[in-house]
Amino acid sequence: MGREAAEGRARSAEGRATGAEAATEHAGNSAGNSGRIPRENSAVESAEDSVDRHIARWTGKVPFDVPTEAVITRIQLLAKHVSHGKERALAETGLQAFEFETMHRLASRGAPWRAPSAELAAELLLSPAGMTGRLDTLEKSGLVRRLRAAADRRRVDVELTEEGHRRWLDAMRWRGVAEHEMIEPLDDGERAALAALLKRMLLAVETR
């Protein structure tokens, strides 16, 4: 889509988020006063998604634990939606994935967004030749510059240009819009609870 239409979609998403937050707060207050689950939430809980259909299709055909299958499959599908959101963000800014990835590593250093070329290649799992080719493309586009290190002329540093940093920030903004659209249905308490549950699952895997 065109840039103006894309920005309109971003503003629309932000507007919907504000309305959704107000509605969620109102629903939460109503639930607290009546002790009942808000009607809107009940409707969502009873709605059928693709995982419900997946479970129904496989029930009785293969042994599996339904709650486990429901959780894991939804995590997998949400991860795919996150990936698609990132792709849309790059499309809005005209960047390719490898360009954003390299610029993201540089931006993580903070101003002046600089790192040794060899260090950057190691982080990106690139050979020296692969790193050179990537930097040639980025430098030609005006997104990075290469500098000889003052202390060691054999070392080449890579630095984001002002234009590169601007394009990276633009991509990050669009990624934020995509991520907000995904988490929009949850209020602050639900987001905190979900984050805690996912952290517990991740810690269990990372500490085995």
Side-chain angles (χ1 to χ4, degrees):
M1 72 175 59
R3 182 117 186 136
E4 293 182 0
E7 292 179 349
R9 182 171 66 82
R11 289 192 296 271
S12 176
E14 291 168 0
R16 290 197 307 272
T18 302
E21 288 170 3
T24 300
E25 181 180 356
H26 175 72
N29 291 337
S30 298
N33 293 334
S34 64
R36 294 192 300 271
I37 297 175
R39 183 177 301 172
E40 295 87 347
N41 289 351
S42 297
V44 171
E45 296 285 338
S46 62
E48 184 181 70
D49 67 5
S50 59
V51 176
D52 292 322
R53 294 188 289 274
H54 161 77
I55 289 173
R57 182 167 59 250
W58 285 100
T59 296
K61 298 174 184 174
V62 64
F64 62 86
D65 178 70
V66 172
T68 299
E69 183 73 7
V71 169
I72 298 302
T73 306
R74 286 190 174 101
I75 289 175
Q76 291 173 332
L77 290 176
L78 287 170
K80 287 183 180 180
H81 284 290
V82 170
S83 179
H84 292 160
K86 290 179 179 180
E87 291 172 2
R88 291 199 309 273
L90 291 180
E92 299 292 356
T93 53
L95 292 172
Q96 298 184 63
F98 79 86
E99 292 175 321
F100 175 82
E101 184 181 17
T102 307
M103 294 161 66
H104 196 59
R105 295 282 182 172
L106 291 170
S108 71
R109 263 76 176 179
W113 319 305
R114 181 188 303 161
S117 176
E119 183 179 301
L120 202 58
E123 288 184 16
L124 295 167
L125 303 179
L126 290 172
S127 66
M131 189 75 248
T132 297
R134 179 174 294 196
L135 293 178
D136 285 345
T137 301
L138 286 164
E139 193 166 38
K140 186 176 181 180
S141 299
L143 302 176
V144 304
R145 65 173 65 93
R146 280 178 279 200
L147 308 167
R148 290 287 177 183
D152 183 358
R153 300 295 295 175
R154 295 170 299 175
R155 193 184 86 189
V156 176
D157 287 341
V158 184
E159 182 180 280
L160 272 182
T161 63
E162 289 294 333
E163 173 65 9
H165 189 253
R166 185 193 67 76
R167 294 277 295 281
W168 171 79
L169 280 177
D170 204 19
M172 289 297 290
R173 182 172 68 86
W174 282 108
R175 283 172 63 137
V177 170
E179 291 169 359
H180 182 81
E181 287 178 345
M182 176 168 288
I183 204 167
E184 180 182 6
L186 306 180
D187 64 27
D188 290 344
E190 290 168 332
R191 296 177 193 187
L194 178 59
L197 292 171
L198 291 172
K199 179 179 180 179
R200 190 190 307 173
M201 292 175 64
L202 186 59
L203 278 173
V205 173
E206 291 180 340
T207 56
R208 283 178 183 169

